[in-house]
Amino acid sequence: MKIKLTLISICLLSLFLNSAYAQLGDPPDMAPEPSAASLKAAETMLEASGAGDQFNKTITVALNQFSNQIPADKQDKFKEVMKAFFEKYCNWEVIKPGICKMYAQEFTESEMNKLTTFYKTPLGIKLNSVQPILFAKAAALGQQTVAARQNELQQMMKDAFK
């Protein structure tokens, strides 16, 4: 049952993200192509922000959070499979060009240069160091919130799919 709930959670997250994009307007791939200079500014900003390290830490935290919902005897195999999948298809080097493009479509080159400057300050460095901790706490809070209402969610799903 926990595996089903995890899959439901992933589906709900996917639906939420799709809904959020719909409310924001055109999806990122429908926006104009950014210039090479904007893409470079985005890459420099992402490097200064430590986005690659944060991405890797976030994946680890997320896998640990989701594996807690898997029966104990299957957790190690679940982590192994998910880690292999993410290393192959969702590693930082694979997604970085898309992330750079998204930032270049949302921020001007000047704004990204200012963000780069910020991320090199003591406050920017501190922000980078605590973001994985905040993500882990937020993920745990979200998980607790869903778990506290798990029976209601299950009943809603049963009713919806009768």
Side-chain angles (χ1 to χ4, degrees):
M1 187 59 159
K2 288 187 176 190
I3 293 174
K4 287 181 184 175
L5 185 58
T6 300
L7 292 174
I8 290 170
S9 298
I10 292 169
C11 290
L12 290 174
L13 178 60
S14 176
L15 288 172
F16 168 77
L17 292 174
N18 286 336
S19 173
Y21 277 125
Q23 292 175 14
L24 292 173
D26 290 338
D29 60 344
M30 300 298 284
E33 283 296 314
S35 69
S38 289
L39 290 171
K40 182 62 180 162
E43 183 176 10
T44 301
M45 185 272 301
L46 289 169
E47 287 172 8
S49 75
D53 289 336
Q54 287 180 19
F55 175 80
N56 293 331
K57 289 176 184 174
T58 299
I59 293 296
T60 300
V61 168
L63 288 179
N64 288 334
Q65 291 289 334
F66 280 118
S67 71
N68 289 336
Q69 298 178 21
I70 304 297
D73 63 325
K74 294 180 177 30
Q75 286 182 7
D76 289 340
K77 187 55 96 175
F78 173 81
K79 285 183 187 179
E80 180 184 321
V81 170
M82 293 300 290
K83 185 176 179 186
F85 178 85
F86 277 96
E87 285 176 358
K88 185 174 182 179
Y89 297 109
C90 297
N91 67 66
W92 179 245
E93 291 306 313
V94 169
I95 70 157
K96 182 171 70 171
I99 300 293
C100 288
K101 183 178 177 182
M102 289 188 311
Y103 272 86
Q105 290 171 330
E106 297 298 327
F107 293 93
T108 66
E109 190 176 340
S110 174
E111 289 170 332
M112 287 184 287
N113 290 337
K114 289 174 184 174
L115 285 169
T116 300
T117 300
F118 166 74
Y119 282 122
K120 292 180 179 181
T121 67
L123 182 58
I125 293 167
K126 180 179 180 179
L127 176 64
N128 287 337
S129 70
V130 300
Q131 279 185 329
I133 296 165
L134 294 173
F135 174 79
K137 288 180 178 180
L141 179 61
Q143 192 174 26
Q144 290 168 0
T145 301
V146 171
R149 291 161 181 85
Q150 180 177 355
N151 292 338
E152 181 181 350
L153 176 58
Q154 289 173 347
Q155 187 60 50
M156 290 170 70
M157 287 294 179
K158 286 179 186 176
D159 293 344
F161 292 104
K162 283 184 178 177

